[in-house]
């Protein structure tokens, strides 16, 4: 056990960290890729409706939700690695250029391919099919659609909205040098979720303004001004832009989320708790404060299910009841904890490969399910075990091959292009802000990029029909 938890076993000074031999890059990131790979596969199998194909699957589905499990696992991983990426760079503009080129090109390609493959009546892709194409393009382009009352471009992209607002918060905290208070922030989000629960309604701004277009007219200039600031490279403008984005994000998640209030705020509590794990692992002080905050968040995540995910609310969280919420949330943390304890071990290459292609897998699996299914006569689902296995093999084979191609042909080239754009921006508009402090990372830590410079993958999760 002592070998599994070196970072929590003793405090590590900067000089100690420098003396610790660095773990190999694949080992250092393997546990995170492994967790992402597991979560991606779980999400795909959830949409594949695998529980209806296995014995006792329906009974399991009533008390455990594969989609929520995958969602929360991804959010924990994202919370752990994304702030670490920004802090090790010490460069807000580089972080945002990397994020844009990591997410948007793959999303655009997936949308184009999906629109070409799927018939007009299919609800998997709603971009340019909502009756208000301008609102759809603007809201989904900003990646704030789920907080603006606009239908998601794809039924799985609601999760990217939460990811984007998390970037807003992380950037603002970093520019104000408040980023080391992740544990307190996580606990505050969790406490708010516990206390408020479902007392605050959903989409209050849409209801008050009476027009999605009007809300977009207010939000869009603020968001664009914020993006201009964080991409400027100027110290003051970066701080102003980050503050605008964080303030906008806080208003939207408070008053205009489509999800129940407790779920929205627990998602951000979960991400910041993931960051608190990173703080506890590497901090010279306050380690136990961060660990206590994580324990509180986990407890709150279980309790909000029991308190609020009942009486029809579960219809909005897409779970079968409070047991499904609470057990799935707890299981996500349990698997993350196991991965953390094993972070010094070498994970199977198939899991790290799944983690690498997880974003493409997330974007493509549902459109491919809707495309491949009719070609092989599904639905209805196969009634025999052999038929179910054959259908699963066909689906997984097609989606994994397509995801690998997208990763190699779109994701990696666009990440390289992003790095060239970043270097060109640094030459044309040199940064006026000095790099933030960046300490050495102990063995088993998380560098901001892979050895080849690959951007950390964005969060990917389960879809919500109607979102």
């Amino acid at each position: 056990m002592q070998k599994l938890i070196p970072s929590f076993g003793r405090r590590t000074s900067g000089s100690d960290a420098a003396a610790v031999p660095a773990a190999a890059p694949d080992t250092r990131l393997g546990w995170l890729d492994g967790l992402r790979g597991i979560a991606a596969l779980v999400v795909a199998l959830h949409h594949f409706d695998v529980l209806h194909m296995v014995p006792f699957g329906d009974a399991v589905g009533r008390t455990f939700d594969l989609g929520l499990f995958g969602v929360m696992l991804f959010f924990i991983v994202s919370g752990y690695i994304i702030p670490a990426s920004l802090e090790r760079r010490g460069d807000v503009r580089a972080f945002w250029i990397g994020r844009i080129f990591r997410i948007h090109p793959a999303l655009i390609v997936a949308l184009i391919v999906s629109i070409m493959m799927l018939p007009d009546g299919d609800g998997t892709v709603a971009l340019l099919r909502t009756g208000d194409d301008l609102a759809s393009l603007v809201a989904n382009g900003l990646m704030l659609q789920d907080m603006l009352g606009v239908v998601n471009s794809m039924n799985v992209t609601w999760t990217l909205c939460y990811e984007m607002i998390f970037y807003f918060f992380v950037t603002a905290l970093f520019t104000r040098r408040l980023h080391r208070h992740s544990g307190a922030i996580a606990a505050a989000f969790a406490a708010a979720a516990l206390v408020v629960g479902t007392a605050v309604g959903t989409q209050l701004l849409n209801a008050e303004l009476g027009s999605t277009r009007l809300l977009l007219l207010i939000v869009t200039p603020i968001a664009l001004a914020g993006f201009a600031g964080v991409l400027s490279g100027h110290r003051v403008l970066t701080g102003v832009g980050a503050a605008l984005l964080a303030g906008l994000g806080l208003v939207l998640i408070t008053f205009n989320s489509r999800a129940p209030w407790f779920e929205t705020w627990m998602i951000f509590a979960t991400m910041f708790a993931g960051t608190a794990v990173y703080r506890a692992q590497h901090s010279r002080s306050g380690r136990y404060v961060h660990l206590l905050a994580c324990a509180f968040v986990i407890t709150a995540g279980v309790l909000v299910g029991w308190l609020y995910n009942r009486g029809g609310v579960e219809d909005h969280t897409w779970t079968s009841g409070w047991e499904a919420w609470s057990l799935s949330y707890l299981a996500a943390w349990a698997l993350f904890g196991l991965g953390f304890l094993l972070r010094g071990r070498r994970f199977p290459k198939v899991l790290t490969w799944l983690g690498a292609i997880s974003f493409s897998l997330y974007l493509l699996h549902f459109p491919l399910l809707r495309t491949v299914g009719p070609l092989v006569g599904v639905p209805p689902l196969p009634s025999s075990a052999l038929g179910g296995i054959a259908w699963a093999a066909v689906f997984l084979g097609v989606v994994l091959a397509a995801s690998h191609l997208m990763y190699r042909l779109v994701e990696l080239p666009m990440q390289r292009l992003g790095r060239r754009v970043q270097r060109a921006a640094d030459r044309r508009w040199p940064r006026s802000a000095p790099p933030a402090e960046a300490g050495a990372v102990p063995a088993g830590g998380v560098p901001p990029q892979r050895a080849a410079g690959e951007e950390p993958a964005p969060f990917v999760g389960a879809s919500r029909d109607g979102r």
Side-chain angles (χ1 to χ4, degrees), residues 48-56 378 380-394:
F48 182 67
D49 214 9
V50 68
L51 288 181
H52 286 124
M53 299 183 182
V54 298
F56 310 107
V378 179
L381 295 176
S383 57
S384 66
L386 183 59
I389 293 172
W391 169 216
V394 170

Side-chain angles (χ1 to χ4, degrees), residues 155-176:
N155 61 351
V156 294
T157 56
W158 69 273
T159 54
L160 296 179
C161 183
Y162 288 85
E163 180 96 354
M164 181 62 67
I165 293 177
F166 181 62
Y167 298 162
F168 292 174
F169 292 155
V170 167
T171 305
L173 292 169
F174 180 74
T175 58
R176 294 292 185 272

Side-chain angles (χ1 to χ4, degrees), residues 132-351:
D132 192 341
D133 294 344
L134 181 60
S136 180
L137 286 170
V138 172
N140 283 280
L142 294 174
M143 225 164 276
L144 296 175
Q145 69 284 348
D146 211 56
M147 301 292 171
L148 295 174
V150 175
V151 179
N152 289 280
S153 59
M154 300 176 71
N155 61 351
V156 294
T157 56
W158 69 273
T159 54
L160 296 179
C161 183
Y162 288 85
E163 180 96 354
M164 181 62 67
I165 293 177
F166 181 62
Y167 298 162
F168 292 174
F169 292 155
V170 167
T171 305
L173 292 169
F174 180 74
T175 58
R176 294 292 185 272
R177 297 186 181 275
L178 297 173
H179 53 288
R180 301 195 185 281
H181 300 287
S182 307
I185 296 167
F189 272 113
L194 268 176
V195 172
V196 178
T198 56
V200 175
T202 60
Q203 296 189 312
L204 299 180
L205 297 180
N206 284 90
E208 184 67 25
L209 295 173
S211 169
T212 300
R213 277 278 185 112
L214 181 56
L215 181 59
L216 275 170
L217 286 174
I218 297 171
V219 167
T220 301
I222 298 173
L224 292 179
F227 285 127
V230 297
L231 292 171
S232 69
H234 187 277
R235 181 177 61 84
V236 174
L237 294 179
T238 296
V240 172
L244 283 173
L245 292 175
L248 175 63
L250 186 60
V251 169
L252 291 177
I253 69 170
T254 303
F255 299 109
N256 219 56
S257 175
R258 195 192 309 264
W261 214 85
F262 75 87
E263 182 187 38
T264 296
W265 282 62
M266 274 311 307
I267 286 175
F268 291 104
T270 300
M271 285 194 276
F272 277 110
T275 309
V277 174
Y278 177 82
R279 301 270 178 251
Q281 183 184 1
H282 298 303
S283 294
R284 299 173 185 171
S285 61
R287 171 172 295 140
Y288 297 105
V289 173
H290 290 302
L291 292 177
L292 285 173
C294 287
F296 176 71
V297 169
I298 295 170
T299 303
V302 174
L303 285 177
V304 295
W306 175 65
L307 288 170
Y308 304 116
N309 199 47
R310 59 175 75 230
V313 175
E314 62 270 23
D315 294 336
H316 299 284
T317 61
W318 297 91
T319 54
S320 59
W322 77 264
E323 298 96 337
W325 167 281
S326 298
L327 290 177
S328 302
Y329 186 83
L330 188 61
W333 272 105
L335 185 56
F336 178 82
L338 179 62
F340 182 87
L341 292 176
L342 298 175
R343 66 192 183 280
R345 305 295 181 90
R346 189 178 299 276
F347 274 59
K349 288 186 177 181
V350 66
L351 289 182

